[in-house]
Amino acid sequence: MTRVTIGLTLAGLIVLFIAYGNGVGVIHGGDVVSHMYWATGGLTLVALANFIAVAHLWRSERMIRELRALCEKNGIEYGSD
């Protein structure tokens, strides 16, 4: 999941850079619609990467709680808090 998050973030940044270039082109008479499509795509990719990162964090936290409960149940010391 970490690789997916990093990949989506990098792809989103690349798309946002393309959108920025199109935005600069708009100032000089370029296509506004193309700029908006690239900007929307970039923002969507970055938002999806953030959603996946939060879901991964939630899953990791749940797994840590389960591990702590098992360690406590079996009398095994679990790290320091």
Side-chain angles (χ1 to χ4, degrees):
M1 284 191 123
T2 303
R3 291 181 187 151
V4 172
T5 303
I6 292 170
L8 283 171
T9 301
L10 291 176
L13 286 172
I14 291 168
V15 171
L16 284 174
F17 285 135
I18 292 170
Y20 174 77
N22 284 343
V24 171
V26 167
I27 294 172
H28 300 289
D31 185 20
V32 175
V33 175
S34 173
H35 166 68
M36 294 305 294
Y37 281 135
W38 280 104
T40 302
L43 290 173
T44 302
L45 285 173
V46 171
L48 181 60
N50 285 336
F51 176 77
I52 290 172
V54 169
H56 182 63
L57 176 65
W58 175 79
R59 182 175 174 233
S60 298
E61 289 291 327
R62 183 179 49 84
M63 290 170 62
I64 289 170
R65 282 193 306 269
E66 290 174 0
L67 176 64
R68 284 184 179 169
L70 282 172
C71 287
E72 198 173 287
K73 177 182 174 184
N74 294 312
I76 300 169
E77 186 177 329
Y78 177 85
S80 61
D81 287 299

